[in-house]
Amino acid sequence: MEDNRRISLGPEFLRCGICLDAFTNPKALSCLHTFCRDCLAQYAARRSSFPCPNCRRTVFLPSASGIDGLPDNFWLSNIKEELSKKKKKGAPSGEEKCAVHAEEKKRWFCENCKHPICDECIVESHNGHRVTKFKELLAAKREEMHSLRQAVTEQVDSMKTQLEKTEEEGRKIMATKGKVEAEIRDCAQAWCDMIRQKERQLLDKTAKVTEETQSLFLEERERMRIAIIDVSTMLDKVKATTDVGNLDEVLRGVEVLTTLRQNADDIKQASATIETPKISFSPLEVWPTELGEVKVPSIPDKRVKGRTKGYRDSGQLRMGGQHLLFPKTPTNRVASTSRVVRVGGPECGQGALEEPSGLAVTADKKILVSDWAKQVIQVFDQNGRFVRDVHLNDRGKVSPGRLAIDSRSGRIYLQCTVPCNTGRDKKIVKVLSDKGRHLFQLGSGLRRPHGVSCHTATGNIAILDTELRMVVIMSRDGERQMSTFGCNLEHNAPPPICLDSIAVAPNGDIVMADWWYSCVKVFDPEGHVRFTFGSPGERGGQLNHPGGVCVDSRGNIIVADERNGRVQMFDASGNFARVLASRSDGLEFPNCVAAVDDGKIAVTDDGKKCVFLIEHDRA
C-alpha cells in the first residue's frame, strides 16, 4: 500500500549552524553535519583539523585541497532548489475575487482609495471615484517599472564606474604612501651616511693625534731603557772593586758611581718634565630633531551630508501583494558631542600605565586600573588625574587582570594569574580591601576565571569561567554559590569558543561579550537566554572580536569593539544606538570598558597602553 505521509521541513532545516542563514555551497563533514563552505573556512582558520561545531568530533581536512576537498551536500542543495520551485508555482496570478462580492472579479482600480475593486463595488461604494481598468493600470505600471529599472540599472553602472575611480584613487594614495616612505628612508639613510662619515673622520683624527703623541713617549721610553742598561752594567763592574780593590781602584769606583748617579738624576728629571696630553671629544650641543615634514593639502569634503534615503531605510518593499523584507542597515554614526581624553599614557610620568588589564569604577567615581606589568592597581579621579597606587601584598607573585568593585563595601574583586611549577599558570579571584590588603579568595571549583562583575544592588559576584564555559554567581562574602549556568543555551547555536568579558546589568541580567563569534549574549539571572545581538563586520552595530562590555545606569549596553578600534552603544534591547569613539579619536584596540556615569565611560586600550575617558551626550 502506498504511503502518502509527508514530512514537513521547517526553514531551520536549511540553515547553517554557524551563520544561522540559508546554506551557501553546503559542505558535509565526516560526522555528516553540514555547514556553508565560507563558514567552515573561517572556522577552521588554516588548521588541518578542527572539532565539528555541532558534535565536537574531530574533522581532518584533505591535505591538498583543504575545505574545498570536503564533499558537497547535493541532497540539501536539491531540496533547497525544489522548495524554491514549489514556492514559485504556488504564487498567485491572474485576477482575484472581490472580498465583498465573492462572485465578482477585481477588474478595476480605484485611484481615490488606492486598491482594486469589482463592477459591483463601483456602483455601491465607489460611485463618483476615479477608476481605471485593472489590466491597463497593471500594464502601465509594469512599463513604468521597466523604465525605472532601466534608470536604476544605469545609475548602478555609473556608481560602479565611480567606485572603480575611487578604488583607483585609493591605489594612487597607497602608491604615494610608498613613494613618501621611500623618500623618508632615503633622507634618513643620507643622514646616517653623513653621520657615519663624520664618525670615521673623527676616529681617523683621533688615531693620528694618538700616534703623534705616542711617538714622543716611545722615544723617551727607549732612551731610559738604554740608560738603565748602561748604569746596570757599570754597577756590575765596580761591584767587585768595592770589597777587595786597592785605593786607586776604589777612588776610580767612587768617581764612576758619582757620575752615574748624576746622569740618572738628569734622565729622571728630563722624563718628569714631559707632560701627558689629554685627548678629549666635545660633541655638538644641538642635534637635528626632525628629518623633515609630511604635508598633505586640505581636501574639501564633497560627500552628501545626512542620510541617503532608500529601500534600506524604509526597511521593506511591497510588491505584488507581498512584502520583500530587507534588514535596516545601521549607519556608523559617531556622537558629535563626544570628547575623548587620554589618561595614563607613557608621557604622564606618575600614573603612567605599562600593561592595563582591568578596569572598574567606584561609587564615588574613582577609576581603578589594574596593570599586569607593574603588578599594581592605579587609582584616578573621574577627570583622569592620578590619585594613588594600591599595592598588592603579594606583589611579584601574582599578575592582576580583570577587576570589579563592590559599591557598598568598597571591596575589590581581582582576577589574578599565579605562576605554577607545573608550567600552566593558575587563575584565581582575590578579594582585597580598598587599600589592597588581602581578605580572602573566591572560587572553590573554578578552573580559569576570567571576567568578573558585581551587581550594584545585591553585591553578588558574577564570575565567567572560560574553561568550564560557565557563569558562577556567588554571594559577596564568597561563602555560597547563588546560581551556576552554562554560557550556551541557544537552540542549535554553536558552542562558545572564547567568551571574554562579563557585566551585570542593574536589573540583574548577565551580559557577555563573545570574542570569537563577534556578538553579545544577554542572560536572565537564572541563565536563560534573553537575546543575542551583533554580527561579524565593520558597519555600525556589527562587531569584530569585542573585548569588553559594561552596562550603564540606564541599561544601555556599551561594547569595546576591539578589532574595529571603536566603542559602540546599544540600548537595553540590543538595538544599535551609535558609535561613541573610534580610531579617528585616537583609539587603537579598546579592551575593557566601564561606565563612570550616564555621560562618561572609561576604556583601556591594548594598543596605546592607556585609558581613554569618553564623554558623550545622554540621548
Side-chain angles (χ1 to χ4, degrees):
M1 185 174 180
E2 184 180 358
D3 190 354
N4 292 324
R5 289 178 299 176
R6 295 184 179 180
I7 300 175
S8 178
L9 299 179
E12 67 277 359
F13 184 79
L14 298 177
R15 289 177 182 171
C16 171
I18 295 179
C19 65
L20 302 181
D21 205 346
F23 281 113
T24 303
N25 192 6
K27 292 285 186 177
L29 305 183
S30 57
C31 59
L32 301 184
H33 287 116
T34 301
F35 304 93
C36 297
R37 185 264 176 208
D38 292 340
C39 295
L40 286 176
Q42 184 177 7
Y43 179 75
R46 298 183 180 179
R47 294 177 291 178
S48 59
S49 64
F50 58 89
C52 171
N54 273 3
C55 65
R56 312 306 291 169
R57 183 182 297 176
T58 302
V59 177
F60 295 93
L61 294 176
S63 58
S65 53
I67 294 294
D68 293 326
L70 293 173
D72 295 321
N73 195 330
F74 294 106
W75 185 68
L76 278 178
S77 299
N78 292 338
I79 289 178
K80 181 180 176 182
E81 183 178 353
E82 191 64 25
L83 289 176
S84 299
K85 291 180 180 178
K86 288 185 177 181
K87 286 183 178 179
K88 291 180 180 179
K89 290 180 180 179
S93 60
E95 296 178 338
E96 299 178 0
K97 296 291 185 179
C98 178
V100 179
H101 308 94
E103 300 299 325
E104 297 292 330
K105 293 183 179 180
K106 297 178 181 178
R107 303 178 185 274
W108 304 89
F109 185 84
C110 180
E111 298 284 354
N112 300 71
C113 302
K114 301 299 181 183
H115 64 79
I117 58 177
C118 68
D119 295 336
E120 296 294 333
C121 290
I122 295 177
V123 177
E124 293 182 2
S125 56
H126 295 268
N127 189 17
H129 290 190
R130 182 181 177 184
V131 297
T132 307
K133 284 188 177 182
F134 191 84
K135 290 184 178 181
E136 293 179 359
L137 179 64
L138 181 60
K141 290 299 180 182
R142 281 177 176 171
E143 183 64 28
E144 181 183 358
M145 188 175 181
H146 177 75
S147 301
L148 289 173
R149 284 180 56 192
Q150 184 66 27
V152 172
T153 302
E154 293 175 357
Q155 288 179 338
V156 170
D157 293 339
S158 176
M159 291 169 64
K160 288 180 180 179
T161 302
Q162 186 63 36
L163 175 61
E164 292 176 358
K165 292 181 180 179
T166 303
E167 291 175 346
E168 179 63 26
E169 291 299 323
R171 287 190 289 269
K172 289 181 180 179
I173 291 174
M174 295 307 297
T176 304
K177 172 178 176 288
K179 181 181 178 181
V180 171
E181 288 177 345
E183 292 176 353
I184 292 173
R185 293 191 184 97
D186 291 343
C187 179
Q189 187 62 45
W191 275 93
C192 293
D193 293 343
M194 183 185 67
I195 291 173
R196 291 297 181 189
Q197 182 181 3
K198 293 296 182 181
E199 177 190 25
R200 287 193 295 270
Q201 291 176 357
L202 290 173
L203 291 176
D204 292 343
K205 185 176 181 180
T206 301
K208 183 178 180 181
V209 172
T210 302
E211 183 180 357
E212 293 174 353
T213 306
Q214 187 75 357
S215 62
L216 175 63
F217 286 89
L218 290 175
E219 293 175 1
E220 181 62 22
R221 186 189 68 173
E222 185 65 18
R223 189 171 71 84
M224 290 184 67
R225 188 179 67 81
I226 295 173
I228 290 172
I229 292 173
D230 293 342
V231 172
S232 298
T233 302
M234 294 301 297
L235 282 174
D236 292 339
K237 289 181 179 180
V238 300
K239 182 177 180 181
T241 307
T242 304
D243 298 328
V244 296
N246 55 30
L247 180 60
D248 291 336
E249 292 173 341
V250 170
L251 290 175
R252 283 197 299 273
V254 170
E255 183 179 355
V256 170
L257 290 174
T258 301
T259 303
L260 289 176
R261 186 176 69 175
Q262 184 63 41
N263 291 340
D265 288 340
D266 294 341
I267 293 172
K268 184 178 179 182
Q269 289 179 2
S271 177
T273 57
I274 298 177
E275 295 184 0
T276 304
K278 295 182 180 181
I279 304 174
S280 61
F281 172 68
S282 300
L284 293 176
E285 296 183 357
V286 180
W287 282 82
T289 58
E290 298 289 344
L291 293 176
E293 183 180 0
V294 177
K295 296 181 179 180
V296 58
S298 60
I299 302 175
D301 190 353
K302 298 181 180 180
R303 293 175 296 179
V304 178
K305 303 299 181 181
R307 299 181 61 188
T308 303
K309 201 127 165 118
Y311 74 89
R312 289 190 178 271
D313 290 302
S314 64
Q316 61 184 12
L317 179 65
R318 187 176 181 90
M319 181 179 294
Q322 296 180 347
H323 283 86
L324 303 181
L325 299 179
F326 297 91
K328 289 188 178 180
T329 303
T331 57
N332 195 15
R333 293 174 292 173
V334 178
S336 59
T337 56
S338 290
R339 188 172 72 91
V340 180
V341 178
R342 178 170 171 166
V343 176
E347 73 281 356
C348 294
Q350 189 179 26
L353 299 166
E354 292 184 11
E355 202 74 35
S357 53
L359 181 68
V361 178
T362 64
D364 57 350
K365 296 181 174 52
K366 293 291 192 301
I367 302 170
L368 275 62
V369 185
S370 55
D371 194 310
W372 176 277
K374 284 186 168 183
Q375 298 182 342
V376 71
I377 298 175
Q378 300 193 154
V379 183
F380 302 85
D381 66 15
Q382 61 178 329
N383 296 316
R385 289 186 290 267
F386 175 75
V387 177
R388 60 187 174 90
D389 285 331
V390 176
H391 295 283
L392 307 179
N393 289 347
D394 44 6
R395 185 179 180 186
K397 300 179 181 179
V398 299
S399 298
R402 302 293 176 103
L403 75 157
I405 298 291
D406 184 349
S407 57
R408 291 184 179 181
S409 63
R411 287 177 175 176
I412 302 173
Y413 297 88
L414 180 66
Q415 178 267 333
C416 301
T417 301
V418 182
C420 293
N421 296 330
T422 58
R424 188 185 187 193
D425 294 340
K426 180 181 179 182
K427 290 186 179 291
I428 61 174
V429 177
K430 297 171 66 69
V431 183
L432 314 174
S433 69
D434 58 350
K435 304 298 183 184
R437 182 172 60 88
H438 176 75
L439 301 178
F440 55 90
Q441 182 174 319
L442 283 179
S444 60
L446 295 175
R447 292 186 184 177
R448 304 288 287 181
H450 183 70
V452 57
S453 183
C454 183
H455 188 202
T456 55
T458 63
N460 293 334
I461 306 302
I463 302 173
L464 172 62
D465 193 309
T466 55
E467 183 170 320
L468 295 176
R469 297 180 183 177
M470 297 184 69
V471 173
V472 179
I473 301 178
M474 309 185 69
S475 60
R476 65 172 54 183
D477 54 12
E479 294 182 357
R480 65 188 188 279
Q481 291 186 1
M482 310 300 292
S483 63
T484 302
F485 61 87
C487 302
N488 185 47
L489 299 180
E490 298 95 326
H491 179 62
N492 288 336
I497 293 181
C498 186
L499 293 166
D500 198 47
S501 178
I502 187 172
V504 181
N507 64 352
D509 284 352
I510 309 297
V511 183
M512 286 185 291
D514 192 325
W515 188 89
W516 181 265
Y517 285 105
S518 296
C519 66
V520 175
K521 302 179 179 180
V522 180
F523 300 79
D524 66 16
E526 286 72 37
H528 302 105
V529 179
R530 288 195 186 276
F531 56 89
T532 299
F533 65 87
S535 61
E538 299 178 354
R539 298 179 66 84
Q542 292 182 319
L543 302 170
N544 188 0
H545 298 311
V549 64
C550 73
V551 184
D552 65 16
S553 60
R554 298 185 176 211
N556 294 317
I557 301 173
I558 300 167
V559 183
D561 191 1
E562 184 173 353
R563 294 295 178 86
N564 280 331
R566 62 188 179 185
V567 178
Q568 301 192 78
M569 175 183 283
F570 300 80
D571 65 18
S573 299
N575 298 311
F576 172 68
R578 59 186 179 276
V579 174
L580 299 182
S582 62
R583 287 198 170 103
S584 62
D585 299 300
L587 276 65
E588 187 172 355
F589 294 113
N591 189 261
C592 302
V593 62
V596 181
D597 55 35
D598 286 343
K600 178 185 288 187
I601 63 170
V603 57
T604 61
D605 195 294
D606 231 10
K608 296 296 182 67
K609 308 300 181 187
C610 68
V611 174
F612 287 99
L613 296 182
I614 303 171
E615 294 185 11
H616 60 88
D617 60 343
R618 295 173 173 82

